[in-house]
Amino acid sequence: MDSAASNSSSGAAAAAASAASASGNGVQGGAGGDRPEDASKQNLAQVTGSIQKTLGLLHQLNLNVSSFSSASQLPLLQRLNALVAELDTMQKLADGCNIQVPMEVVNLIDDGKNPDEFTRDVLNSCIAKNQITKGKTDAFKSLRKHLLEELEEAFPEDVEAYRQIRATSAAESKRLAQSQSVLPNGDSKVKAEH
């Protein structure tokens, strides 16, 4: 393979890398802003570009090795050196990225399985735990209702006073929440911009 072909192939790999980092993968390249999220996105875009460049170099190496002759030894060595340099660059860029991958995902990938299985399993586990918690909540609501019914039969005046206190307390909490512009779940209300 001659140097002109390798330069055009290298240019195509770089173009593919920049196109990949600028589009569909959710990472935006360009100048980083003042926020740490922007710097992190820029670092991730650079790592993605380096990965794409490394894949291009590996493809070129594959072509050189598959059609190896003694005359192509120098270009092969140059590509090997370029690969080592790019892997070093990738490692340095990756040090700036703080991405944590659960070991379960790495193990699934090592086993040749789809890492989406991990996500599915985690979601199924959350759903199961949510159903258990909902069952406990419903059981406590049922117990509370049953106890109030039993207490009402035994102490009707006290239960009526309890219900009035609860209604007054709930109304006061609602009024206080509305006056502080806080939602009942603790979130602050955000005014919509027009």
Side-chain angles (χ1 to χ4, degrees):
M1 183 185 246
D2 63 341
S3 63
S6 70
N7 286 342
S8 68
S9 178
S10 176
S18 69
S21 66
S23 64
N25 63 1
V27 177
Q28 297 175 352
D34 295 337
R35 297 183 306 172
E37 298 88 21
D38 292 340
S40 177
K41 285 182 181 181
Q42 185 178 11
N43 286 343
L44 187 58
Q46 290 173 342
V47 171
T48 303
S50 181
I51 290 170
Q52 294 294 330
K53 189 174 179 183
T54 301
L55 289 173
L57 287 169
L58 287 170
H59 177 69
Q60 292 172 2
L61 273 172
N62 182 33
L63 294 175
N64 277 8
V65 170
S66 65
S67 62
F68 182 75
S69 68
S70 60
S72 65
Q73 184 172 0
L74 182 61
L76 178 64
L77 292 175
Q78 290 172 341
R79 290 226 167 69
L80 280 172
N81 288 335
L83 178 64
V84 170
E86 190 58 39
L87 288 172
D88 184 50
T89 302
M90 184 190 314
Q91 178 62 42
K92 289 176 184 172
L93 288 172
D95 289 340
C97 291
N98 185 17
I99 299 174
Q100 298 177 359
V101 179
M103 281 306 296
E104 293 89 352
V105 174
V106 175
N107 291 336
L108 280 173
I109 293 170
D110 286 343
D111 293 341
K113 296 180 181 173
N114 189 344
D116 290 340
E117 291 178 19
F118 174 75
T119 305
R120 186 189 67 228
D121 292 343
V122 168
L123 286 175
N124 287 339
S125 173
C126 287
I127 290 170
K129 288 179 182 178
N130 187 25
Q131 289 174 342
I132 290 170
T133 304
K134 186 180 182 317
K136 289 178 182 179
T137 303
D138 291 345
F140 277 113
K141 285 180 182 177
S142 175
L143 175 64
R144 180 180 177 278
K145 180 182 174 187
H146 180 71
L147 287 175
L148 275 176
E149 289 171 356
E150 293 293 322
L151 284 171
E152 191 169 24
E153 289 177 14
F155 308 104
E157 298 86 20
D158 293 336
V159 170
E160 187 59 36
Y162 167 76
R163 286 189 174 150
Q164 288 177 354
I165 292 171
R166 291 276 297 174
T168 304
S169 175
E172 181 66 23
S173 295
K174 184 177 180 181
R175 187 192 60 75
L176 183 62
Q178 288 175 345
S179 69
Q180 293 178 348
S181 298
V182 175
L183 296 174
N185 65 359
D187 293 343
S188 296
K189 289 184 182 177
V190 177
K191 293 183 180 178
E193 296 182 55
H194 297 285

